[in-house]
Every structure is written in structure tokens, then in C-alpha cells.
């Protein structure tokens, strides 16, 4: 590992330790946590999950408890391919590797494609744990800003005038932490740039199904297929964590064939394959036909929470805060109108009994300390009221 | 990645592809497979597993389906600590990280401790997928031979006269692929060398419980604690795959504190944590108190299969083959008395309808082509009879 690699690794350690330390507070008695990016277990379809598990242990015990294929069971991959059709993604089981959550998809992909010093471009802000996988792979990170229309693709175009890049990582739909969605014109612009400059796009899509409106923008994968007849440089990852149950630790990645074999070989060395029990349960759950209704339930609940939160924030804190208006997902990204260090501020909010994630942790460089991320998925409406009141008292 | 790194990665790819290609044969109609290192699902305690799963979905659904701790659930880690006491290992939940099988333990540990070009010493032959993790971490591999008493520690001592090494990886008990066990005196010698020369020992112990006799040699971990009062340079990994169910994808690693935080941070980036569902099932299974009896069942069955196989091999093929006599585990390692390329030979055995894993794949260097590994765990006694007859016909 070269010096920069060591520095990056140290940064990963520091960030993770700081975050881990901070998040300990969220477990404290009486503290309302708006911090964790975790879905609400009050909304889990425990009845359906129990049914799916029951079938696994009574009818498919060997499938559930014996070793399986590195790429994932063929049955589950076929079901995932079907599920992705609704997302405008034409893929077969053979294009898919089942992973331990989309987190593992990111780690495996970065290990497969990034050589040390390869340039990867991320959004500012971006998903913290994606930064960790990029830093472990010793990527050289560059960042571009984002606004209400998502990543500023024009800034990327500027970079491409002078730099050769390996890839772009982004959460284009209901982003984490920003909550914002990349506009259609920027999507098309990004896919065009990738085709022209031959770089990879890692399209991380954990939240795309959690929309609050009827609007569904095409995935980057879909745009590439439509415009160029292939998606050879698009790597699409998604997960069951936000639509079914994160404890299953099941995600997937759809890749071009040149990459798939490489990822499968690394996965084999990394953990052989994802939990057979989890895979069997997920496959059975999909076969029960309950997922669409479950997603509707989550959408309605998160939308309601978001509406309550946005109204409260505007009314109670609108004089000091601005924020974008997400159209889906689990996060709201707030910024103080006047500069304020939110990591410092959280000491005060903690005294009042409310925590969030300070924004600085989501930046690979040039952190905006005046920002913070609110997750509205787990708190009840009552808790959201109380949380905003506490934030106000901590001003 | 430097040139050597690229070469290593290519080697991983080649080996894996070759093995994957070969193992496809083992799925062919009518072919008896002695290839896969997979436990016999005929011996799985499906009743106990079903009970444990039933408890998870009825009594602990949130625990089973929500996110959990990166290190693994505290309850499971405590149960693992208890289980390890019987192996002479004094550890608490805080010394343990639950992993996706011991395969992931190896990958995480190698990512945490190996910088490119660091020297790691392995046995000749050694576990193929450990080689893969070492090669992905860009370790510089050296190897020492082994015989009926396991790794030739004298050869390691020779290396240490001129080279600084980062660590030694080995399966000291009922090794894969060799089946042999490191003798007590060599264990003591190895631990002493590690203390003197300050290198790490990765003690991979998936098979230790599968003994055919009453003899239990102390683990390297135990020897270090006894002799030096600590095990600060011993990394002990084990798994539920061979004693309970590999489909759960659950293993664990016991480490000194200086390493544990580093491994946990990499695990967080790698997949957040192991399947909550699998962890809940394993914890419940351990609480049911059925594991000891289950291990007895497996021991008795594997011992019987091994005895049948060893007798058949001696009688039918003893004139052309030699082999060591494992005292436990799942593998028998055979060598032709006269040079023979077993990868080539497998084409003939395949025509007769029997496959194994050619020995060459288990060497980091200087492969002995005259060797091959037989897994006796899954075949029935009848199949073992037929398999040996087919091997004989293929001579």
C-alpha cells in the first residue's frame, strides 16, 4: 500500500470510528434518532416473511442449509430479473450476482475494477460506505457538487476535459444522503459522457422503489440500452434491504459479462456465496406475490412521515434551515442558512435528546459543515414532532 | 496493482476458472463426486434447524430481519465464546467477529494485515481459497512442505533465517486438502517461532471437531496463551459450515484487540454484517443444546466412511497409491507411487464416472501433479465402493 493508500485507509478508520461513536448515542435511553439509514421494522411484512421462511424449512431444507452457487441461486436470480423489468431493466439470471446487501456489491465491484490511483468521481455529498469501498480499493477520488437536480454533470464534463477517469459512483434516485434525484436531462448527459469517454457508471439504486409520486425516471441502465443498444459500462446495484428486510443481507448487481466472471471469482474468495437461508426466504417471498403491496405500504408510510417532517421543519426551523424536497426515499438533507458546524452542534442536540448524522461525513473532500442528514423512516409522527421541537431548543 | 499483483490476480482467475470448469463435471448425471469439500446434507439436523428457525420467526422477528451489529449479535458471540471453551480457547464475545463463513474471516483478515509484497507462508499443499484471499491481498507467497505430522516447521525456521515474514496460514487439524494434523511438538515449535520472530499465525480450524479418535491436540491459540500468557499474534478462525449447516454462511474469527477494530471496519465496508436471520437461527440452535449430539453423529458417520474408503483404497489401489491416514475431517490426500498428472488422469476417471480434485490446484508453487484430494463426506458407502472400482478401471 502506498502512502496515499495508507492515508485513505486511515481516513476510513477515522470516519468509521467517529460515526460509530456518534451512533452509539442513538441507542441512548430517551434519545430520538434521526441518524441511522435503517428502514422501519414496524412496516416489515413479518407475516409474509414467516410464511416464506416456513416454506423454506418444511419444503426446501437442503436448499436453505447446504452450500449454493457463488452467483446466487438460479431461482432467486430469475425472480430478481423479473422484478427489475418493472425498473426498465432487461436482464436475465445470467447477468446477475446475488450479494450480501448492495454494500457487498459495491465492495466487490470496486475490488474488481479499481486499480490503485484509478480516478473515481463521486457526488458531494455521497454515500459514506461507498467512499469506504473506494478508499479500500485505493481509488483516487474526485468529487462534483450536486443540487436539487442531483449530480452536477457539467462539473463532471469539466473534469473529463483534463482527466481520464475509471468511473462514476452515484445514487441517482432519492439519493443518500441528499434525497435528491438526478434529472432526466442530466441522466442522458451522464450516460452520453460515459459512452464518449469510456468510463464506468456504478448506479446504486437502493431507494428507487420508494417513490412518493407517480413519476419514475428511467434508470441509467435503461437509458444506455435505449440510446446505445447496450449497457456495457453500467453496473446496476440494488437491494432487498429497503423494500423487504435488511437482516437478510441480500442485494444484487447487474453487470456486463466481461465484469461478471471477475466479480464472481472475487465473491468466491470473499464469502463463497450469500446465505442460502436468506436466499431461499427471499425467493419464496417473491413467489408469494406480496412484494408490490409491501412496497406500496412502505411508500405511503414514508411519504406521510416525510410530509409531516418537511412541514415541521419549514414552520419551526425554516428561518435558519433550507432543504431540498425529496420525492422518495428515506432522507432529508438540511443546510443552515448561516455557517454552523453540525458535528459540534450535535453535542447540543444530544443534550436535548435528538441525533442525526452531521453532513461532513458524506464528503470525500471540501465538506460542508453546515449540513446534516435526517432519516425519517424509523421515527413515528409523534417522535418527529418531538424531534423538531428538540432541534429548535438546541439552536 | 503492480505487475506481480496482476499476475497473482490472473492466477486466481485461472485456477478458479479451471476448478469451476472441473467441478461442473461433478454435477453430471451418474458421476460420483469425491470432489467438493461439502458436508453431507443427509446428516444435517434439519429438525433442530427447523425448530431454531421457527423460534426466530415467531419470537424474534425483528432480531431476525432488521439490521444488526457489524461484529455480529452479542448473543451469538457469547454462545461462540462458550463453544470455544471446549477447544481450549478462552475468549469473550468482545474478542469475536461473526463472519460470512470462515472464508470471509480469511478475506477480511488478509485485507487487514497484508500490505502488497508482505511475505506469507503457506503449507504445500494448502487450502485453495485461502491462496485466493492471499493473492487478492497481493501477498508474496512462500511455501513449506508437509508430511504425516503436518507443516514442516523446520523448513519455516530455515526461511526465517533470511526472511522477515508477516504471517503463516495453515489448517493445523485435519487439514484441507492433506487431512493431516500438525503434531504437538511442531505446534509448540511454530508458536515459539511466531513469538520470537513476531509474525502472525492464522489458525484456520473448520474441521477440528470432526475427530475420529479421542485425541485432541491443543490449538495454537491455546498453546500461545499457556506458554506466553497471551495470543496476541494468533488469529483463530472457525465455522458452523462443517458442524451445523454451510448454507447459513456463518463463521467467526477470534483476534487480539489491535486487529479486531480494523477487521470490523473492513467488514462494515464489505457487507455491514452477516445475515441476521442466519445468526438468529444459529444462536437459537446453540441454545437448544443439540450441537454436541450433532457433532457426534457427524464424527461417527465420517469415520465410518473414511474407514471404508481407506480399506478399499489400500486393497484395490495400494499398489499404485500411497496416502496419509487422517484422524478426522473430510479429506484423504493420495499420491501416485509413480509420477502421473492427475489433472490429465481425471479425463479418464470422468469417462468412468468419478471425479476428485487434482492436487496441483492446492499448491502456491512447485505443484505435485501426482496427487489428488478425495472428499469422503458426501458419498454413501455404496458410492465409495463404486467410486474406487471406477478409479481402478481408469488406471
Amino acid at each position: 500500500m502506498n502512502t496515499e493508500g495508507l492515508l485513505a485507509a486511515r481516513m476510513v478508520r477515522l470516519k468509521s470510528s467517529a460515526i460509530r461513536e456518534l451512533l452509539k448515542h442513538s441507542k441512548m435511553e430517551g434519545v430520538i434518532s434521526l441518524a441511522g439509514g435503517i428502514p422501519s421494522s414496524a412496516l416489515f411484512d413479518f407475516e409474509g416473511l414467516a410464511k416464506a421462511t416456513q416454506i423454506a424449512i418444511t419444503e426446501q431444507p437442503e436448499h436453505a442449509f447446504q452450500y449454493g452457487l457463488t452467483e446466487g441461486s438460479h431461482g432467486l436470480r430469475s425472480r430478481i430479473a423479473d422484478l427489475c423489468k418493472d425498473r426498465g431493466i432487461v436482464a436475465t439470471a445470467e447477468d446477475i450476482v446475488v450479494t450480501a446487501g448492495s454494500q457487498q456489491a459495491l465492495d466487490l465491484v470496486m475490488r474488481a475494477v479499481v486499480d490503485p490511483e484509478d480516478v473515481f468521481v463521486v457526488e458531494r455529498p455521497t454515500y459514506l460506505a461507498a467512499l469506504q469501498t473506494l478508499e479500500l480499493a485505493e481509488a483516487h477520488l474526485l468529487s462534483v457538487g450536486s443540487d436539487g437536480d442531483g449530480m452536477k454533470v457539467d462539473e463532471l464534463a469539466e473534469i473529463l476535459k483534463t482527466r481520464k477517469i475509471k468511473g462514476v459512483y452515484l445514487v441517482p434516485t432519492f439519493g443518500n444522503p441528499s434525497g435528491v434525484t438526478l434529472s432526466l436531462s442530466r441522466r442522458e448527459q451522464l450516460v452520453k459522457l460515459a459512452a464518449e469517454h469510456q468510463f464506468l457508471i456504478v448506479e446504486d439504486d437502493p431507494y428507487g422503489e420508494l417513490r412518493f409520486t407517480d413519476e419514475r425516471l428511467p434508470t441509467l441502465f435503461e437509458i444506455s440500452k435505449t440510446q446505445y443498444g447496450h449497457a456495457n459500462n453500467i453496473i446496476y446495484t440494488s437491494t432487498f434491504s429497503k423494500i423487504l428486510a435488511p437482516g437478510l443481507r441480500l442485494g444484487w448487481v447487474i453487470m456486463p459479462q466481461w465484469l461478471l466472471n471477475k466479480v464472481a471469482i472475487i465473491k468466491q474468495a470473499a464469502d463463497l456465496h450469500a446465505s442460502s437461508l436468506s436466499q431461499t426466504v427471499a425467493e419464496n417471498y417473491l413467489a408469494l406475490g406480496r412484494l408490490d403491496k409491501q412496497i406500496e405500504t412502505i411508500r405511503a408510510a414514508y411519504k406521510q412521515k416525510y410530509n409531516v417532517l418537511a412541514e415541521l421543519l419549514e414552520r419551526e426551523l425554516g428561518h435558519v434551515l433550507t432543504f431540498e424536497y425529496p420525492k422518495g426515499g428515506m432522507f432529508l438533507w438540511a443546510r443552515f442558512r448561516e455557517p454552523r458546524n453540525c458535528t459540534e452542534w450535535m453535542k447540543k442536540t444530544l443534550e436535548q435528546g435528538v441525533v442525526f448524522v452531521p453532513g461532513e461525513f458524506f464528503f470525500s473532500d471540501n465538506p460542508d459543515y453546515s449540513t446534516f442528514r435526517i432519516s425519517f423512516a424509523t421515527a413515528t409522527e409523534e417522535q418527529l414532532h418531538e424531534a423538531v421541537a428538540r432541534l429548535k431548543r438546541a439552536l
Side-chain angles (χ1 to χ4, degrees), chain A residues 13-299:
Chain A
R13 279 195 287 281
L14 283 173
K15 273 193 187 167
S16 301
S17 302
I19 286 265
R20 283 155 71 94
E21 201 52 46
L22 283 174
L23 292 185
K24 271 186 196 159
H25 302 319
S26 67
K27 303 277 167 65
M28 282 165 60
E29 183 78 21
V31 170
I32 299 173
S33 175
L34 308 173
I38 67 176
S40 171
S41 41
L43 298 171
F44 287 180
D45 178 11
F46 286 128
E47 188 190 319
L49 286 163
K51 275 190 188 170
T53 310
Q54 196 67 47
I55 297 168
I57 56 179
T58 54
E59 296 174 25
Q60 310 139 322
E62 181 154 353
H63 195 52
F65 293 112
Q66 184 54 284
Y67 281 121
L69 294 174
T70 293
E71 292 85 347
S73 87
H74 201 275
L76 178 59
R77 282 184 289 146
S78 296
R79 293 262 172 207
I80 290 171
D82 285 346
L83 183 157
C84 286
K85 283 201 188 95
D86 296 340
R87 304 183 186 186
I89 291 173
V90 182
T92 68
E94 283 65 34
D95 303 315
I96 296 170
V97 172
V98 175
T99 54
S102 53
Q103 185 62 44
Q104 190 190 38
L106 298 180
D107 189 45
L108 295 176
V109 165
M110 297 315 176
R111 292 176 83 176
V113 306
V114 176
D115 284 330
E117 299 311 307
D118 279 351
V119 177
F120 239 86
V121 177
V122 298
E123 295 169 280
R124 206 169 54 237
T126 190
Y127 173 49
L128 169 65
L131 288 182
Q132 293 176 329
T133 65
L134 281 160
E135 285 162 356
L136 283 169
E138 300 182 56
H140 181 89
L141 292 176
L142 296 177
S143 68
V144 299
S146 75
D147 58 22
D149 284 331
M151 175 181 264
K152 291 178 175 170
V153 181
D154 280 341
E155 286 188 20
L156 174 66
E158 274 306 308
I159 290 174
L160 289 166
K161 285 181 182 166
T162 58
R163 300 290 293 259
K164 173 82 186 151
I165 74 169
K166 177 58 77 76
V168 169
Y169 166 82
L170 79 171
V171 183
T173 309
F174 318 138
N176 178 4
S178 70
V180 301
T181 294
L182 192 67
S183 68
L184 179 59
S185 63
R186 287 192 187 172
R187 283 174 191 240
E188 287 171 345
Q189 189 188 0
L190 176 59
V191 171
K192 189 161 175 261
L193 285 174
E196 283 170 8
H197 293 266
Q198 296 280 302
F199 60 82
L200 300 170
I201 297 175
V202 179
E203 178 176 24
D204 189 10
D205 188 26
Y207 313 106
E209 292 291 317
L210 307 182
R211 50 183 177 273
F212 305 154
T213 73
D214 288 335
E215 186 187 43
R216 191 189 75 74
L217 291 180
T219 57
L220 303 172
F221 188 100
E222 186 179 357
I223 291 171
S224 181
K225 281 256 183 178
T226 309
Q227 302 263 350
Y228 302 97
H230 69 80
N232 281 348
N233 53 343
I234 316 280
I235 297 157
Y236 176 89
T237 75
S238 191
T239 178
F240 287 110
S241 294
K242 307 306 191 284
I243 55 175
L244 183 56
L248 294 172
R249 305 305 308 120
L250 288 180
W252 64 90
V253 47
I254 301 182
M255 289 163 288
Q257 286 298 319
W258 66 265
L259 179 57
L260 193 140
N261 194 40
K262 208 170 170 184
V263 164
I265 285 169
I266 297 174
K267 174 140 181 80
Q268 195 179 31
D271 64 359
L272 301 183
H273 60 81
S275 163
S276 305
L277 179 58
S278 290
Q279 289 188 69
T280 310
V281 169
E283 186 182 342
N284 291 342
Y285 187 89
L286 294 174
L288 290 171
R290 298 170 73 111
L291 186 65
D292 286 349
K293 190 169 158 292
Q294 173 59 11
I295 289 173
E296 281 306 327
T297 303
I298 297 170
R299 271 181 198 152

Side-chain angles (χ1 to χ4, degrees), chain A residues 344-357:
Chain A
E344 287 302 310
W345 183 51
M346 208 169 81
K347 289 175 191 163
K348 281 194 191 171
T349 70
L350 185 62
E351 279 169 23
Q352 295 295 333
V354 59
V355 291
F356 45 77
V357 182

